[in-house]
Amino acid sequence: MKEVPVVVSVILLLGGCAATNSTQGQSGILYQEFRDFQHLVETDLPAAKKTKVAADYVKVIEEADSRMPEEFRSPFFVDLANRFRTVDSHYEDIDGSQGCLTINGLNQEGAPESLSLYYVQEKGGWVFDYIMTSAHESVQEYYTEATCPDAGEYRR
């Protein structure tokens, strides 16, 4: 009979760990994908765009950039990879072949901000398909869960 409490304890412990990972994402798959994107942007920007960003999203960004006057153009993906001076927290939620990653931190100007990336599976890996940024008055306004808009909002 001593085995039953141990088995129940192990099941509860494993279940608690699974719940923590899915809601807080502190060691999550999507956050690691974003970290890989950041590293790849520094070493090989074309590879970063090809392997970490959805092909359609790359086209949207490049087309928008080409319509901007030269003086207003910016290296979008480089700026995105270097968005935060510090990261305070991150959360993710995965549902099948799509997911959402929200990162909270201080941007390069020191202002609190949240960056949310909508991820999809493409060519056997995770790529982000669009982003959303939210400026905050204080760090108390950070999101406390993965917060991405509905994909349909950006596909109309």
Side-chain angles (χ1 to χ4, degrees):
M1 289 309 262
K2 291 182 181 182
E3 293 176 29
V4 174
V6 172
V7 171
V8 171
S9 297
V10 170
I11 290 171
L12 290 175
L13 178 63
L14 292 175
C17 290
T20 299
N21 285 337
S22 66
T23 58
Q24 293 187 9
Q26 295 301 315
S27 61
I29 294 167
L30 300 181
Y31 186 67
Q32 185 58 51
E33 287 292 334
F34 183 73
R35 300 285 293 155
D36 292 347
F37 164 76
Q38 289 177 304
H39 175 72
L40 203 50
V41 163
E42 291 178 20
T43 58
D44 189 350
L45 180 58
K49 291 193 294 188
K50 185 175 182 177
T51 62
K52 301 297 180 186
V53 185
D56 288 344
Y57 194 63
V58 171
K59 281 186 207 175
V60 167
I61 297 302
E62 289 177 348
E63 286 175 12
D65 194 48
S66 71
R67 290 191 299 270
M68 295 288 288
E70 186 70 36
E71 63 271 16
F72 295 114
R73 291 183 188 170
S74 69
F76 178 83
F77 295 107
V78 173
D79 290 348
L80 180 62
N82 297 305
R83 187 147 203 106
F84 292 106
R85 179 186 305 169
T86 61
V87 171
D88 296 321
S89 60
H90 52 88
Y91 303 91
E92 69 181 55
D93 184 32
I94 296 174
D95 184 13
S97 62
Q98 58 188 349
C100 177
L101 169 66
T102 295
I103 304 168
N104 298 308
L106 299 179
N107 63 22
Q108 293 300 327
E109 290 77 40
E113 185 175 289
S114 296
L115 169 66
S116 295
L117 299 99
Y118 175 74
Y119 276 86
V120 295
Q121 288 188 329
E122 184 177 281
K123 299 178 187 169
W126 288 101
V127 295
F128 63 87
D129 198 21
Y130 66 84
I131 68 163
M132 173 183 80
T133 60
S134 301
H136 303 295
E137 293 293 320
S138 72
V139 297
Q140 285 75 29
E141 293 179 5
Y142 282 158
Y143 295 125
T144 57
E145 62 185 12
T147 307
C148 284
D150 178 25
E153 291 180 34
Y154 292 93
R155 298 296 174 214
R156 293 179 197 177

